[in-house]
């Protein structure tokens, strides 16, 4: 892990300004996710505030933004709509407890089983989702929205050529807001999304009966909440690791997500997890420390409570332009270049495409990652299964035949092993040489037992030789104990 960066005036300025841009981008999304979850917009804004401030302290990935998210909103929406806010808040707290337990049990270590092709698919699907989320803001709107959005994009592309001291998205938001207010241009604004809070959230217990029935009702939602939140947060942390060329503590991040959600629940928020779009804004603006995350949450409340009327006047076109540029910058364009696709194995491209398709279809990054990873495992198993080689040599005297098996023997490659031998035509003594093979599972041991049994039925003996130590141990432990497998 790289040493921490020295604190300088330039670093603080970057973190402060980046946190401000993120806070501005959080407001309309938090309100939108509140609507999806069926709760008052202030519930989502409170959640974004408490999540960001808490995770800045207890999280394991500096510069990553956690707040109310669409994935979490979709999970808890049925509970909120059918049973009320109290049950949603209780589920958030229980989900946070589940996340702490899962983090302590080492769920973060599962990230090593996520292949690169799934990661690329995850990034590309994320970029597509960020873009698609902006499309409704460009439909059935007054015509000035389009030149404003285009102007915002042009400002963000061109302004960095003048100076990078101030984040271009912040400049774009300020200029477009001044233009619309000064010229009296009637376009959708942040204020149209919902009412901003006028005070800080209050600490309290969820308004539910503390009974087993309540626990039974919220537990399935809480568990789904915990898994989706951790999956999205850990994938985002890995993405930021790659972009910043640093490592983060995934176990601490998992536990930190749980702590942040418990805090959020006790303050009446709807819970959340890592926000990929806002995290990309933060990282692309140069933020690298916990300060930007903390300030994003703090600025969010300051903007709502102190500068509510000003923030309400920000045109949605300005924020749409920011997110469109984020989506373009997030997409891995190299991965879809014809030259790259020609060189890439077909299986890798398939895994990436499946991941993208499932995420875009379900709007759930966690489901896409799981399906993509399972697809990658199937592709890998098929590829490795074909690497098994099989040959036979009969002694000149015709009394013995030696079968040489090479490669990795597991369920996918050993299932047809039984059919590769000439039981009727082989001599009385058969040797199976596994010097250049490795036994990985019980399926292979069962297949070898079946081969031995088939020869035994014809009065022929089988000798298995060349087993390496792990293979010999597995074969010795399981052989003859898998009754019914053949």
């Amino acid at each position: 892990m790289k040493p921490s960066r020295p604190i300088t005036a330039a670093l603080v300025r970057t973190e402060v300004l980046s946190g401000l841009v993120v806070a501005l981008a959080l407001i309309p999304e938090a309100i939108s996710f509140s609507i999806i979850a069926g709760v008052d917009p202030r519930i989502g804004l409170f959640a974004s505030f408490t999540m960001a401030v808490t995770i800045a302290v207890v999280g394991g990935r500096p510069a990553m933004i956690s707040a109310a998210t669409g994935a979490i909103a979709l999970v808890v929406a049925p509970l909120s709509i059918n049973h009320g806010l109290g049950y949603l808040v209780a589920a958030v707290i229980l989900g946070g407890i589940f996340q702490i337990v899962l983090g302590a049990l080492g769920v973060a270590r599962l990230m090593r089983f996520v292949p690169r092709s799934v990661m690329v698919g995850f990034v590309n699907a994320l970029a597509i989702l960020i873009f698609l989320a902006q499309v409704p803001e460009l439909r059935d709107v007054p015509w000035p929205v389009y030149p404003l959005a285009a102007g915002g994009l042009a400002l963000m592309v061109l302004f960095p050529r003048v100076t990078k001291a101030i984040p271009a998205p912040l400049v774009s938001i300020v200029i477009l807001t001044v233009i619309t207010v000064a010229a009296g241009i009637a376009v959708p604004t942040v204020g149209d999304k919902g009412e901003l809070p006028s005070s800080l959230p209050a600490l309290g217990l969820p308004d539910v009966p503390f009974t087993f029935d309540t626990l039974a009702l919220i537990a399935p939602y809480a568990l789904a909440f915990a898994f989706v939140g951790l999956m999205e947060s850990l994938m985002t942390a890995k993405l930021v690791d790659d972009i910043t060329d640093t490592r983060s503590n995934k176990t601490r991040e998992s536990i930190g997500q749980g702590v942040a959600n418990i805090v959020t629940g006790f303050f009446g928020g709807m819970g959340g997890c890592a926000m990929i779009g806002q995290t990309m804004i933060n990282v692309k603006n140069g933020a690298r420390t916990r300060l930007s995350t903390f300030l994003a949450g703090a600025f969010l409340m300051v903007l709502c409570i102190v500068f509510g009327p000003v923030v309400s006047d920000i045109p949605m076109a300005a924020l749409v332009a920011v997110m469109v540029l984020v989506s373009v910058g997030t997409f891995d364009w190299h991965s879809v270049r014809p030259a790259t696709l020609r060189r890439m194995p077909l299986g890798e491209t398939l895994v990436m495409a499946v991941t993208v398709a499932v995420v875009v279809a379900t709007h759930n990054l966690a489901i896409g990652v799981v399906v993509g990873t399972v697809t990658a495992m199937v592709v890998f198993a098929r590829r490795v299964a074909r690497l098994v080689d099989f040959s036979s040599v009969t002694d000149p005297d015709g009394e013995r035949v030696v079968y040489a098996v090479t490669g990795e023997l597991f369920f996918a490659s050993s299932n047809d092993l039984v059919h590769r031998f000439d039981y009727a035509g082989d001599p009385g003594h058969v040797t199976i040489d596994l010097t250049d093979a490795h036994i990985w599972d019980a399926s292979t041991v069962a297949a070898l037992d079946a081969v031995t049994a088939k020869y035994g039925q014809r009065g022929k003996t089988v000798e298995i030789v060349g087993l390496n130590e792990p293979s010999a141990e597995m074969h010795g432990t399981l052989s003859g104990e898998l009754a019914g497998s053949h």
Side-chain angles (χ1 to χ4, degrees):
M1 188 176 294
K2 291 187 175 183
S4 58
R5 301 171 70 186
I7 298 176
T8 62
L11 181 142
V12 172
R13 183 181 66 245
T14 298
E15 299 289 315
V16 170
L17 293 175
S18 186
L20 180 57
V21 174
V22 171
L24 289 168
L26 278 173
I27 293 172
E29 294 226 346
I31 295 172
S32 299
F33 298 146
S34 300
I35 294 168
I36 292 172
V39 297
D40 187 284
R42 287 171 291 190
I43 303 301
L45 290 164
F46 287 154
S48 294
F49 162 60
T50 53
M51 284 294 299
V53 168
T54 306
I55 205 68
V57 178
V58 300
R61 172 65 260 178
M64 191 165 80
I65 306 296
S66 289
T69 61
I72 293 299
L74 289 170
V75 170
V76 299
L79 190 59
S80 169
I81 293 168
N82 296 323
H83 301 280
L85 177 61
Y87 286 90
L88 181 152
V89 171
V92 169
I93 294 171
L94 182 59
I97 294 171
F98 283 153
Q99 287 179 327
I100 292 174
V101 172
L102 289 168
L105 291 175
V107 71
R109 287 195 291 272
L110 295 176
M111 290 305 296
R112 69 180 131 187
F113 296 107
V114 178
R116 181 188 177 279
S117 51
V118 173
M119 193 68 200
V120 173
F122 169 85
V123 170
N124 290 345
L126 153 67
I128 293 170
L129 286 184
I130 292 174
F131 180 82
L132 291 177
Q134 312 315 310
V135 173
E137 304 297 337
L138 299 173
R139 283 183 184 155
D140 301 321
V141 293
W143 69 265
V145 167
Y146 302 109
L148 282 171
L153 285 169
L155 272 170
M156 287 184 287
V157 171
L158 298 175
F159 188 78
R161 299 181 184 180
V162 178
T163 177
K164 293 184 179 179
I166 305 174
L170 180 59
V171 174
S172 176
I173 291 169
V174 171
I175 291 177
L176 292 188
T177 303
V178 170
I179 290 173
T180 54
V181 172
I185 302 173
V187 292
T189 63
V190 170
D192 296 332
K193 287 289 183 181
E195 184 182 352
L196 301 182
S198 57
S199 63
L200 290 171
L203 185 64
L205 293 173
D207 184 17
V208 295
F210 291 88
T211 63
F212 180 78
D213 288 341
T214 299
L215 180 62
L217 173 64
I218 67 173
Y221 293 97
L223 194 58
F225 171 102
F227 275 113
V228 169
L230 284 183
M231 178 75 73
E232 201 149 328
S233 298
L234 292 173
M235 289 296 289
T236 306
K238 190 173 187 299
L239 178 60
V240 177
D241 287 356
D242 293 341
I243 292 173
T244 61
D245 194 26
T246 57
R247 292 181 62 189
S248 58
N249 188 329
K250 305 298 190 303
T251 297
R252 177 176 172 181
E253 183 60 40
S254 302
I255 295 172
Q257 287 290 328
V259 172
N261 274 306
I262 291 172
V263 171
T264 296
F266 280 121
F267 277 99
M270 59 178 274
C273 61
M275 279 203 88
I276 305 170
Q278 277 67 18
T279 296
M280 288 299 100
I281 293 174
N282 201 39
V283 173
K284 300 282 185 184
N285 282 337
R288 293 293 183 271
T289 75
R290 298 174 184 275
L291 180 60
S292 57
T293 305
F294 179 87
L295 289 177
F299 282 148
L300 174 64
M301 278 294 101
V302 171
L303 288 169
C304 290
I305 296 171
V306 181
F307 300 102
V310 176
V311 172
S312 295
D313 286 335
I314 295 174
M316 284 302 300
L319 298 174
V320 166
V322 171
M323 298 309 291
V324 166
L325 197 65
V326 167
S327 71
V328 172
T330 301
F331 196 91
D332 186 350
W333 297 100
H334 176 77
S335 67
V336 295
R337 285 173 54 193
T340 304
L341 294 175
R342 281 196 298 269
R343 285 195 298 268
M344 193 68 65
L346 181 60
E348 301 282 317
T349 303
L350 174 66
V351 169
M352 180 182 72
V354 166
T355 304
V356 171
V358 173
V359 170
V360 173
T362 63
H363 282 234
N364 191 314
L365 291 158
I367 294 176
V369 169
V370 170
V371 174
T373 302
V374 170
T375 304
M377 290 177 178
V378 172
V379 170
F380 174 76
R382 285 176 59 84
R383 187 182 302 157
V384 174
R386 292 172 182 165
L387 297 180
V388 172
D389 196 22
F390 194 92
S391 62
S392 63
V393 177
T394 303
D395 283 354
D397 56 13
E399 295 182 359
R400 175 192 299 267
V401 62
V402 178
Y403 286 92
V405 182
T406 63
E408 308 302 319
L409 299 176
F410 63 111
F411 63 89
S413 59
S414 62
N415 277 340
D416 67 342
L417 193 65
V418 178
H419 308 294
R420 303 292 295 273
F421 295 85
D422 183 5
Y423 300 103
D426 281 343
H429 195 92
V430 178
T431 299
I432 302 175
D433 185 359
L434 300 179
T435 301
D436 296 316
H438 187 97
I439 295 176
W440 286 103
D441 60 6
S443 294
T444 304
V445 177
L448 292 172
D449 282 355
V451 171
T452 302
K454 286 181 178 295
Y455 276 115
Q457 290 168 2
R458 294 168 173 78
K460 302 175 182 180
T461 60
V462 175
E463 181 184 14
I464 298 175
V465 300
L467 291 170
N468 58 33
E469 188 175 340
S471 299
E473 183 178 350
M474 178 171 288
H475 186 266
T477 302
L478 298 179
S479 182
E481 301 297 326
L482 304 170
S485 57
H486 55 269

